[in-house]
Amino acid sequence: MMTPRALSRQQLRACAQHLRALQRSQTVAAPAAAPIEKILVANRGEIACRIINSARRMGIKTTAVYCDAEMNGKHVAMADEAFRLGPPPATSSYLRKDKVIEIAKAAGAQAIHPGYGFLSENAEFAELCAQNGIQFIGPPASAITSMGSKSESKNIMIAARVPVIPGYQGEDQDPAFLAEQADLIG
């Protein structure tokens, strides 16, 4: 079994270079990086409040979104403006990609900050933002897709010469072949 250890600067550099290359190769071109004057914060609670505070310090206006249960929430009061997403279940509000994009356009937001959770790790949403000329504040869709796949993530780390726990990475899923690979790994 491999013992966790700190990565060398060379390994960290290689990993960063690989991720930058991955970012450059994304299939949907990001909109030109014009100055951001307004962002839509596609989250709620404390994370939304922190994003709103940071934006305010940077001189950027904010648009909050909320479900019916949070219409009096702190993040709604803190933002420059707020729009209703829908009823309380996240699937009917915060996870409605189409509605979030529609609100961002109506509000004149140049970018969307997803916070964490909800849409922050949704490659389809990041691509949808780009297709609508809205900057996604987060990693490109290609990186989200790669990091969302354990096997792809492991391949990226292997390519960057980061030590990983040994394992079988192939396509052959035949039980007898897998047992053979397990014996080889130990």
Side-chain angles (χ1 to χ4, degrees):
M1 181 171 268
M2 195 174 228
T3 309
R5 62 181 172 91
L7 300 177
S8 71
R9 284 189 174 159
Q10 182 180 3
Q11 290 169 324
L12 287 172
R13 243 182 267 128
C15 186
Q17 287 172 344
H18 190 77
L19 288 174
R20 279 192 295 274
L22 182 64
Q23 195 170 19
R24 284 190 299 272
S25 72
Q26 78 182 74
T27 54
V28 177
I36 298 173
E37 295 175 11
K38 184 189 278 188
I39 64 170
L40 181 141
V41 181
N43 217 298
R44 62 184 176 196
E46 182 61 25
I47 189 63
C49 293
R50 289 176 184 226
I51 294 165
I52 292 166
N53 275 330
S54 294
R56 183 175 292 138
R57 282 194 304 272
M58 296 170 71
I60 298 171
K61 293 183 191 251
T62 56
T63 300
V65 290
Y66 61 90
C67 72
D68 294 342
E70 297 159 339
M71 64 190 321
N72 296 315
K74 185 176 178 182
H75 73 289
V76 173
M78 287 177 65
D80 294 299
E81 62 185 350
F83 289 80
R84 178 186 178 271
L85 278 171
T91 54
S92 300
S93 54
Y94 291 96
L95 295 175
R96 292 268 322 270
K97 297 181 273 283
D98 59 329
K99 185 77 171 167
V100 173
I101 294 288
E102 177 188 313
I103 291 171
K105 286 178 159 183
Q110 294 90 17
I112 296 176
H113 195 308
Y116 66 88
F118 292 135
L119 298 171
S120 66
E121 297 176 12
N122 189 307
E124 183 183 319
F125 181 68
E127 286 186 25
L128 191 59
C129 287
Q131 290 166 3
N132 283 277
I134 299 169
Q135 293 180 38
F136 177 78
I137 301 174
S142 57
I144 295 170
T145 299
S146 293
M147 293 300 111
S149 162
K150 288 182 183 178
S151 61
E152 179 64 17
S153 297
K154 190 168 186 176
N155 288 335
I156 290 169
M157 295 302 110
I158 290 168
R161 296 191 199 108
V162 174
V164 296
I165 295 172
Y168 173 67
Q169 292 293 106
E171 296 290 321
D172 189 346
Q173 297 296 303
D174 177 66
F177 181 77
L178 292 175
E180 200 176 289
Q181 291 300 305
D183 289 339
L184 290 172
I185 294 165

